[in-house]
Amino acid sequence: MTELLATYDASSVNAALLTSSLLFGIGLVGFLSRRNMIVMFLCTELMFQGAALAMIAFGRVHGNPDGQTFVIFILTIAAAEAALALGLVVLLYRRRETLDSEAWSELKEC
Amino acid sequence: MEVTLAYALILVPIACAAIVGFSPSPLAKWIGTFGAFATLAVAMLFAWTFPHWTDGLFAPTNDATSWFSAMGVSISLGADSVALLLILMTTFLMPLILIGSFTSINERVKEYYFWFLLLEASMLGAFLARDAVLFFVSYEFTMIPMFFLIANWGGLQRRQAAVKYVLYSFGGGILTLVGLLYVAMKMHAATGEWNFGIGPMTEFCSTTLPASEQVWVFILLMAGFAVKIPLVPLHTWLPLVHDQAPTGGSVILAGTLLKLGTFGEFRIALPMAPIGGVEWNFVLAVLCLIGIVAAALICWVQHDAKKLVAYSSVTHIAFCMLGMFSLNSIGVTGSVMYMISHGLSTGALFLCIGMVYERYHTKDMDELGGLYRRMPIWSFFMVFFALASLGLPGLNGFPGEFYCLVGAFIAEDTAATGYPGLMGPWFAIIAGLGLIAAAMYLLMLVGRLVWGPLREPGAHDKDHAHTSHHAPTSALPVDIGAREIGILLPLAIACLVLGLYPEPMFKAIEPSVKNMLKPYPALVERYIRDGTLLNDETETANSPFADATQK
Amino acid sequence: MLNFSLLADATDHAAATAIGVIQPAVDAPDLKWAGLIIGLPALSALLCTICGAMRVRSKLPAFITIVALIGSFVLTCMLFQQLGQGAPRVVGLFEWMSFSWGNADRFQSFSAPFALYVDSLTLFWMLFVTGLGSLIAIYASEYMESDVGKGYTRFFGGVSVFLAAMATLVMASNLVVLYLGWEGVGLASYLLIGYYYSKPSAVAAAKKAFIMNRIGDLGLALGISLIWVNYGTVDYATLFSVLEAGPTAGHGDWMPGAIPFLLMLGAFGKSAQIPLFTWLPDAMEGPTPVSALIHAATMVTAGVYLIARMYPLFALHEDALATVAWVGGLTAFVAATIGMAQYDMKRVWAYSTISQLGYMFLGLGVGTTFGAGYHVFTHAFFKALLFLTAGAVMHGFAGQIDIRKLSGLRKVPGFRLVSYLALLGCLWLSALPFSAAFFSKDTILTAALGSERSDFQFLGWLGLLTAGITAYYTFRVWFRTFAGPVHFEAGDDQHDAHDDTHDAHHAPVAGLSLGAKHDFHPHGPRWAIRIPLILIAIGAVAAGWPAYNVLFFHGENWVQTMIAHSSAVAGSGEVHGQDVLGLSAHLMTSIVGSAACVIGIGIAFWMHLADRSAADRVRGALRGFILTRWIPTTLENRWYVDEIYHMMFRLPLWAGSHILHFFDKTVVDGFLVDGTGRVPVAVARLFQPLYNGVLQGYAATMAGGFVLIAGWVFWIWLRGNG
């Protein structure tokens, strides 16, 4: 098994890394520019996926299953965190009747 | 026996503070006062059994409880005669302050007495400490009770005053800590073990540390003490704090807390880094002179009685430090004597002003005047303590002041007087001008408050004075009553006795002074000869503790 | 019979030989009872304080004080009887300010025990201090009686403190104890000048006296330090024996010449000489017995005592004694000119005191401590007499003391004795030939006139001119007040120091009456005032006995003998000096002095008795002529010295203090301290926009931070590989 995976195709790894950074970038930009809380959360999920893809690509580089193992972890944690976060979003919505994140800007220096 | 008493000196106030904390409110002041008297009794017993009054040694010795043994920090207590005199002064003032606060503190009474007893414990800890960390902790801990005392029971701007006090003291204290740590680290590098004992640190630093480092160590150590003393230009917190603090806070601040700074100078800064002490001597002496003259003149134009006495503290303490920086036996002995007498007379002045404030709710000299008519007994004490503060011979201010002046006068940089130093006649002359200024402002204070036509706040002019004057509205008697006389009279007697018979104190102070000054004559002579002490980086052979020759 | 030649013998006096003549002191522990001379007034002061605390409302404080002072006088007489003119005795009482820090070497210890040094100078001084003190205390017990229950106790407490301090000063065995007494008399003076404390002018005068004295005291303190540095001791006995070994024994080469000048400064402050004299006229705000005792007879002589005691030290600098002489001579003249133009009787006597003290310093400076000491003695009596008679007038006329408002008092019933005793005092002050004061002033002026130095001769002539002026202003007062037609206006009841009920309604300016009070009857003094006056007058006459003894009986002058056996021996020789204009100096002084006296009295008679409008006409004439126009107003305004001092010292100090205060509050506190406090706040405000509470903002910051760190790592990697 290891001999099969010892060498890797650089261009396909590069393509995967490029895709992953694109995903991360889109997620980051989206997070910074959107105000709707659910959309912001979607963007964080995108960032997660970008990181996961990068993990897979580097797993391919090292030729061992560590990268893919880590991806399973990421997916699990992302799912758990999604549940928590969406639950918090629902609570916040109930408080202010809006999904606008600007409604929650009181923790600032006066 | 001494060990027990030394620990008792610190633990008794803490225990009484705890009891006050748990006792019902009406009893708080009695328990608190009892605690102060108990501490006084312990201190007097300690003084009675103290074996080293005339040889400058410490007692108890060699009995240290380990605290952080890995870092060489231990709780070691020891007092020599100078520390013991300051302890006696503090424990003497405390009951008087607490009794004096009976009528002026009416809210949160328990806390007031609690904080005062804690303050006393930490001050005594600072005087007794023979370990640098213990000293520093006690020294800085005094800030906490003072903060609460000022912030809770003070004047209109008490919060700002308390914050300023803490930040300023703490800032200076940090620098002192840096200095102490530096010395300890160097010691560790040289000997391989940590030891924070003041004796070993002093020995190491003064003999082994190179000159260029000693200079900086001195300034670092001095920084904290200079703020506390206070040395001009680091003095501006004092008038504000005195103005806003309650009477009791002012008395203990002037009486003891300022002396923590001068004591620190005497015990730690000057002995540990003698080369620094000599290099910076001229600058510090000039700062003292500026403090003496400028602060005295500023006193003269004050309108508020308490601020006047606060600035007078600045000028008196500057005079005291001038004596200390003369680096000869006479000057430093006078300086220590002055510390003790200043605590008594200025503390008493603050008590007197506090008594007037309780009755009239103002300290403004434009609103009050000619109070002799209403309060003849108070006036007697006020004039008495003003004269003691001014250094009238026969009262306690004179011996210290005279010796400080002589010490400064003879500390000339030629060998003509036999006492080499970096000051000289001009310093004494300018300091003497400060004495004349002292007469000016103290007689102005007395002339406005005690003598002159009667003026009470609310009365419009003299003609109406005897028909519609607003008599003091509190439940206090018009003139001071038995309780208040009871606290002023012991102070007056102490002032008189110290003024007429200071000799036992001199005999007690002098050996400690001699020990402190051991390295100095040789260093001063070298400084005068070479113009600097920094020319011998690697010199360790010049061990001042080795040779005990002195002029 | 008259034997002028005896008075004309001369002995050479130089400091070096004189020191050898100062007898070494002898320890006398058996004389410890002499400490009671200080102890009795001190005890009386304590008892008066207790009386005050217990609100005693009788004359008990006066009684206690009088008993204590008479006790001191008796003890002094006993001491004199026992010791006379023998060797000085040193009586240790208790250790005060002594400690040593090295071996027992002189220069490694400072020894100032509370001990007494009793030699003939001490006894001489103490006799008239305690004697006059007792008499004036008796006088004051009646004079101050309107204040019984109000300030009476405070007054006698102050007097007791004064006598205790004065005794300490005179009997001290070392300079530090002298300094204790020195400041103690200053304290008593402060308390007693400010006795009428509700008058702002009295409070200000008390403050001024204390502060001006303090300026002199600084000089004295520095002088004491310098003496210790040079000779290793401040004790008289040791000091004199060290000096005997030569002026440079020990370290004695560190500015020894400055010592006499520093001591001189102290003396000038205490004895009101130029430039520190303006406090004395203001001190007249105090009650008259205070003026008599403190500011005429005793405290102000402390400066003379200091110089007499430390006389050997004045040889350390060649110009020291000359400076003393010049200051004394000039002060005598200036003060006399001011005295010519004052209207308040007490002020005239105050300036007269300053002037006569000037004579004493002149005497010390030209080398005759005998003359100076004798003049102190005679002056004490006649000046006390003058002040006390002025007090009797004030007592009877409700505080009136303005010579323009009183006249012909010798014809007022009850005041005849007072008037004639005042006449005696005036004649003595004018140095009437063959009065005691004539001899004492004569000695001084002879020494000056007959000196070899021309500047001393000038001072001698100036002194003779001043004598004429003295006679003039003295009799100006006497002729105006006690002679002429009877007329008086009542004063303002200045006695009452009690509460504001009176003060609030009365203008407190002396001499300003509210018009004739209805049915005002001046009451003459009773016996408690009269007897001391008579006794003091007898003393003034008897003070001439030492000179009569020499003149008529070929005996010796007691005063001279007393001074010759003390540390002031250097100037105790007979005075004769060179011939002046052909006559012996002594004869010249006597003749010119007597002439000056007669002429002065004559002019006063013309202008103030025979034709009282003559004074105004003379004044008008002076004002009319352009060159002399300034004279009357300048003299009336006391040479504007007070105003000059105010401009030169007080105003700049006041301005400077305000500037310092402003600087302290604004620059040091505001800018530096509070400014340092504002720096963290400013820095925080710089970064504040980052914390705007918006979630994305924080995320952007995180991202940006990450980019920076990543870039930095990348850059390091590049540098490592490039």
Side-chain angles (χ1 to χ4, degrees), chain B residues 338-411:
Chain B
Y338 203 109
M339 274 190 230
I340 295 165
S341 63
H342 171 264
L344 296 173
S345 52
T346 307
L349 275 177
F350 277 117
L351 280 172
C352 287
I353 295 179
M355 288 172 194
V356 166
Y357 184 71
E358 264 189 81
R359 288 163 169 78
Y360 292 101
H361 304 291
T362 176
K363 296 165 282 183
D364 193 340
M365 294 191 286
D366 296 331
E367 290 180 25
L368 288 173
L371 291 176
Y372 183 88
R373 210 176 307 265
R374 288 253 172 270
M375 307 168 67
I377 305 182
W378 173 86
S379 303
F380 171 78
F381 282 111
M382 186 76 192
V383 173
F384 184 90
F385 290 122
L387 293 170
S389 197
L390 98 61
L392 191 76
L395 294 178
N396 61 346
F398 177 68
E401 191 179 81
F402 186 70
Y403 279 154
C404 282
L405 202 63
V406 174
F409 190 78
I410 66 178

Side-chain angles (χ1 to χ4, degrees), chain C residues 118-265:
Chain C
V118 183
D119 73 350
S120 49
L121 187 69
T122 317
L123 290 169
F124 173 64
W125 230 270
M126 282 312 291
L127 282 171
F128 74 79
V129 164
T130 47
L132 279 173
S134 317
L135 288 173
I136 295 178
I138 298 173
Y139 174 98
S141 68
E142 178 187 325
Y143 186 84
M144 302 298 297
E145 62 189 1
S146 56
D147 279 354
V148 172
K150 289 180 280 233
Y152 205 65
T153 316
R154 189 160 47 96
F155 179 84
F156 281 98
V159 170
S160 303
V161 168
F162 171 74
L163 254 316
M166 189 74 199
T168 311
L169 197 161
V170 173
M171 296 178 77
S173 80
N174 59 65
L175 284 164
V176 186
V177 178
L178 180 138
Y179 189 79
L180 166 66
W182 193 269
E183 293 246 11
V185 296
L187 166 70
S189 175
Y190 170 76
L191 291 175
L192 289 169
I193 296 174
Y195 175 75
Y196 297 117
Y197 60 86
S198 42
K199 284 180 62 182
S201 54
V203 176
K207 210 169 17 144
K208 182 170 177 177
F210 197 92
I211 292 173
M212 271 199 153
N213 270 320
R214 258 249 149 159
I215 298 175
D217 295 349
L218 177 62
L220 181 56
L222 292 173
I224 295 175
S225 309
L226 203 49
I227 290 175
W228 180 78
V229 169
N230 278 308
Y231 303 109
T233 176
V234 289
D235 177 68
Y236 298 155
T238 325
L239 185 61
F240 294 143
S241 61
V242 168
L243 280 172
E244 202 175 330
T248 58
H251 291 186
D253 51 358
W254 193 58
M255 307 202 295
I259 294 177
F261 289 100
L262 290 169
L263 293 178
M264 207 187 292
L265 187 62

Side-chain angles (χ1 to χ4, degrees), chain C residues 344-495:
Chain C
D344 180 324
M345 200 194 297
K346 277 178 74 173
R347 294 270 144 113
V348 177
W349 299 147
Y351 281 105
S352 163
T353 306
I354 299 175
S355 176
Q356 297 301 307
L357 285 167
Y359 274 108
M360 295 172 212
F361 281 102
L362 175 63
L364 287 172
V366 299
T368 168
T369 51
F370 156 50
Y374 196 17
H375 202 56
V376 165
F377 190 63
T378 54
H379 174 263
F381 286 101
F382 67 71
K383 195 46 70 62
L385 188 59
L386 285 172
F387 270 108
L388 294 181
T389 48
V393 168
M394 279 179 78
H395 189 64
F397 289 89
Q400 181 60 266
I401 204 70
D402 189 328
I403 61 176
R404 295 172 292 193
K405 306 225 166 79
L406 294 169
S407 170
L409 292 187
R410 66 193 164 103
K411 301 200 197 96
V412 174
F415 282 90
R416 196 147 40 136
L417 181 68
V418 169
S419 309
Y420 287 113
L421 289 178
L423 179 62
L424 182 79
C426 289
L427 287 171
W428 258 233
L429 176 53
S430 316
L432 182 77
F434 294 101
S435 66
F438 170 76
F439 289 112
S440 57
K441 202 184 267 193
D442 190 68
T443 317
I444 295 173
L445 290 175
T446 308
L449 216 54
S451 157
E452 293 153 347
R453 294 174 58 137
S454 55
D455 55 349
F456 286 177
Q457 288 169 14
F458 168 73
L459 287 174
W461 288 111
L462 189 63
L464 286 168
L465 174 63
T466 311
I469 301 177
T470 308
Y472 166 72
Y473 71 65
T474 310
F475 275 90
R476 167 175 174 264
V477 172
W478 198 84
F479 284 139
R480 283 273 173 178
T481 325
F482 293 101
V486 176
H487 168 75
F488 51 81
E489 286 173 32
D492 268 332
D493 229 358
Q494 274 184 12
H495 273 325

Side-chain angles (χ1 to χ4, degrees), chain A residues 18-88:
Chain A
L18 190 63
T19 321
S20 108
S21 49
L22 265 177
L23 274 176
F24 188 86
I26 292 171
L28 183 64
V29 169
F31 182 84
L32 292 179
S33 56
R34 300 299 295 264
R35 282 162 59 163
N36 188 307
M37 279 195 265
I38 298 190
V39 174
M40 282 166 73
F41 182 67
L42 275 176
C43 296
T44 64
E45 289 292 318
L46 260 181
M47 285 196 269
F48 268 122
Q49 302 315 312
L53 196 53
M55 283 290 165
I56 295 179
F58 281 113
R60 181 70 188 88
V61 166
H62 287 286
N64 56 29
D66 290 348
Q68 299 189 23
T69 331
F70 211 73
V71 170
I72 306 292
F73 271 108
I74 292 179
L75 292 180
T76 320
I77 292 170
E81 184 237 337
L84 260 176
L86 287 172
L88 282 173

